[in-house]
Amino acid sequence: MPFLPVFLWTDILIFILLAVITAGIFYLRSKPHLRAPWVMVMQRKRGGYFSHYPAQLRHYRFS
């Protein structure tokens, strides 16, 4: 009995979304004038929150 994969249209849209986000990240990283604002955002305390999440989790007090 052969196995036939089934791709739903929602699955295809998610894969397209991931591909576009990945391509956008690589494009932004290759252009200095587009990367500079994001570097400043990630250096700020609020903007870089998710990039430093594990470090902030160590200081959390679990009660």
Side-chain angles (χ1 to χ4, degrees), residues 13-29:
L13 287 178
I14 289 174
F15 289 133
I16 290 172
L17 177 65
L18 290 174
V20 167
I21 289 172
T22 303
I25 289 171
F26 281 113
Y27 181 76
L28 288 174
R29 290 185 67 176

Side-chain angles (χ1 to χ4, degrees), residues 36-52:
W38 286 107
V39 169
M40 290 191 317
V41 167
M42 293 313 256
Q43 287 175 349
R44 293 183 191 146
K45 188 172 182 177
R46 283 187 128 178
Y49 178 75
F50 292 107
S51 66
H52 304 322

